[in-house]
Amino acid sequence: MTRGQARALETLQTRFVIEPQDTSFEDYSADREPAPLGVEIGFGMGQALAEWALERQDWRLLGIEVYQPGIGSLLLQLEEAGATNVRVLEADAREIFERWLPAASVREIHIYFPDPWPKKRHASRRIVQPDTLAVFANALEPGGLLHLATDWQSYAEWMLECAQGEPRLRNLAAGFAPRPDDRPVTRFEARGQRLGHDVWDLKLERVANEP
C-alpha cells in the first residue's frame, strides 16, 4: 500500500465508506434524491468506478471490494475528481446482495476482470456461478443490466454457460457482446492487451417478471 492510499483510508473513510453492519440500505438512501443505483463488484484499483462516477453524476454508485490498497486508490481518485456519488462497501459481495440490497433496487451491476481462479480445483471460488447470477438477477430492476468482462477464455465460456441457465437474464447479443465504448480501459486491461490477451464482454438484461 502506498502512503497516499494509506492516507486516504485514514482520512476519507468517514466520507466514502459504508459499514453495512451499522448502516442499512434505507439509511444510506434516506438523505439522497431518488436516482438509479449502480454497483461495481471487485473494483480493483478503482479506475473504472471513478470514471463511471463522473459519467453518471446523477446516479448513486456503490463499489464492493476487500482489497484495501484498491479502496485507498479509489478514495484518492474520488477526492481528486470531486465525486460525491460513490460509496464503498468493504465486504463480501454475495452477502451484500443477499442481506443488504433490496430486490429490484439496482439499475446496473458491473463485474470487470474478476479473479479467474484458473485451476480446475479452484473454479468454485469464481464470483460468477449459477447461484450468484440468480442473486444478482434478483437485485436488478426489470430492464436492469449485468455487464461482465474477462480476459480468460475459459471463464468467459463459463460465464456464458451460467447466463444461459438463468431465465431472468436475457443476453443482449448472440453470444459475447462487442466491446462497449463506455467501458473504460483499466490499467489491468491495458496490460493484458500488451500481452496479447483477448477480452470477452457479456451484457445481460433483467427481464420483467411474469404477470
Side-chain angles (χ1 to χ4, degrees):
M1 186 181 299
T2 67
R3 289 183 180 179
Q5 292 163 359
R7 178 191 65 79
L9 287 171
E10 181 178 352
T11 62
L12 300 175
Q13 282 205 61
T14 56
R15 191 192 312 177
F16 291 110
V17 178
I18 293 175
E19 301 292 344
Q21 67 272 19
D22 300 326
T23 306
S24 68
F25 179 82
E26 290 72 21
D27 291 337
Y28 155 71
S29 302
D31 61 346
R32 292 169 174 81
E33 293 294 329
L37 176 65
V39 181
E40 182 168 352
I41 298 173
F43 57 75
M45 301 308 288
Q47 180 185 351
L49 182 52
E51 292 195 29
W52 195 12
L54 294 178
E55 292 170 0
R56 299 287 190 178
Q57 296 184 41
D58 56 335
W59 285 36
R60 296 172 295 153
L61 300 180
L62 293 172
I64 304 174
E65 181 58 80
V66 296
Y67 180 57
Q68 285 209 325
I71 295 173
S73 173
L74 174 66
L75 299 188
L76 286 174
Q77 293 174 72
L78 297 178
E79 180 186 42
E80 181 178 352
T84 61
N85 57 336
V86 179
R87 294 296 180 269
V88 175
L89 296 155
E90 185 181 352
D92 177 82
R94 178 157 184 160
E95 290 187 5
I96 293 300
F97 275 82
E98 288 183 331
R99 303 179 185 179
W100 198 80
L101 284 167
S105 61
V106 182
R107 178 72 57 84
E108 287 190 15
I109 301 169
H110 296 175
I111 308 177
Y112 296 155
F113 306 99
D115 192 327
W117 294 104
K119 294 183 179 179
K120 189 173 182 179
R121 67 178 182 273
H122 295 154
S124 62
R125 302 181 187 180
R126 292 171 170 174
I127 184 65
V128 178
Q129 303 286 344
D131 56 345
T132 56
L133 284 191
V135 170
F136 299 150
N138 186 63
L140 284 169
E141 62 186 48
L145 179 70
L146 172 60
H147 185 182
L148 310 172
T150 181
D151 62 342
W152 282 79
Q153 184 173 359
S154 61
Y155 199 2
E157 292 167 350
W158 171 248
M159 289 176 172
L160 182 59
E161 180 181 340
C162 292
Q164 290 168 339
E166 174 48 62
R168 292 172 295 175
L169 294 174
R170 179 174 69 91
N171 194 344
L172 294 179
F176 297 107
R179 190 197 187 285
D181 293 335
D182 60 356
R183 179 169 64 73
V185 178
T186 64
R187 284 178 291 178
F188 180 90
E189 184 178 0
R191 176 180 176 274
Q193 290 176 340
R194 290 194 298 271
L195 295 173
H197 294 183
D198 291 325
V199 173
W200 293 266
D201 285 83
L202 268 176
K203 301 189 81 169
L204 309 171
E205 182 183 56
R206 172 66 156 90
V207 299
N209 293 325
E210 294 292 334

